Amino acid sequence: MVGRGYTVFDTAIGRCGIIWSSTGVVAVQLPEAREIDTRRRIFQAHPEAREQRPLPNTELAIEGIVSLLQGNDPDFSDVSLDAGGVPGFNRRVYEYTCTIPRGETRTYHEIAKALGASGAAHSVAQAIAKNPYMLIVPCHRVLEAGNYTGRISPYGGVISKRRLLSLEGAHPVASKTLFEVLLPVAPPRPSG
């Protein structure tokens, strides 16, 4: 195989995409509202990729993704990732994220502290937001300090962290409502 390949495949939540090279999985695209939108996002991020039959490593990743989205606990440890374009700090974040047990979550701050970079919570958040290996690297298990469980990353499609965590049996603290966000910053009411 020369260059990068991709394929689109069926899961319990819709048609996902996966992009690979001879080195390993390059990216996973979760489903958009329509398959054409999923394909469009793949083309935008990886215009050089051509649709083709998956390599054995990619098949292993697809099987794991399908299984996870059915509520199972697949093992992705044998799936090779192509991390050629991934910065070193992001790789460390992804390696740590893979150690978070199913059904559990960590905050950006907790990961930064575990990596010996306690002031780097924002950098961890940026790394998680750029995670190209959706589900293989379970970035849905990493939350803001308030356990906000909204959109995942550019590869996240229409699914939320909350939905992925519920598939794993995790029950994070509910996301803050607009009322809860605005209440602390609202000006005090005049007494009288």
Side-chain angles (χ1 to χ4, degrees):
M1 182 187 101
V2 178
R4 293 182 175 175
Y6 81 91
T7 193
V8 177
F9 57 97
D10 291 318
T11 72
I13 64 166
R15 296 198 33 93
C16 292
I18 191 165
I19 301 92
W20 68 89
S21 70
S22 58
T23 308
V25 173
V26 173
V28 174
Q29 174 63 52
L30 294 182
E32 293 290 339
R34 301 174 311 162
E35 180 181 338
I36 190 72
D37 297 326
T38 302
R39 288 177 178 276
R40 185 175 294 122
R41 192 172 293 265
I42 290 169
F43 293 139
Q44 288 171 346
H46 305 279
E48 74 290 355
R50 298 294 173 252
E51 190 164 15
Q52 52 191 285
R53 184 180 186 91
L55 298 175
N57 178 68
T58 307
E59 285 286 354
L60 189 61
I62 291 170
E63 289 169 13
I65 291 166
V66 168
S67 178
L68 187 142
L69 293 173
Q70 289 172 338
N72 299 315
D73 187 14
D75 179 7
F76 288 107
S77 61
D78 290 333
V79 174
S80 298
L81 303 176
D82 180 340
V86 178
F89 181 78
N90 292 21
R91 282 189 217 161
R92 290 179 53 215
V93 169
Y94 302 154
E95 288 167 9
Y96 183 85
T97 300
C98 287
T99 69
I100 301 170
R102 175 185 170 84
E104 294 184 22
T105 61
R106 301 290 184 275
T107 65
Y108 301 138
H109 177 73
E110 289 170 327
I111 292 179
K113 189 174 178 184
L115 295 177
S118 59
H122 181 71
S123 297
V124 169
Q126 288 182 324
I128 291 297
K130 294 176 183 172
N131 174 21
Y133 315 112
M134 300 300 304
L135 305 176
I136 298 170
V137 173
C139 63
H140 57 280
R141 297 177 187 160
V142 183
L143 308 174
E144 291 179 33
N147 283 329
Y148 175 73
T149 55
R151 292 251 346 210
I152 303 177
S153 84
Y155 294 97
V158 296
I159 193 166
S160 70
K161 286 186 178 191
R162 176 176 298 169
R163 181 154 178 219
L164 288 171
L165 288 169
S166 70
L167 284 170
E168 294 187 350
H171 301 287
V173 175
S175 299
K176 292 180 180 181
T177 65
L178 182 60
F179 179 76
E180 292 167 321
V181 170
L182 294 177
L183 185 61
V185 296
R189 289 187 139 172
S191 22

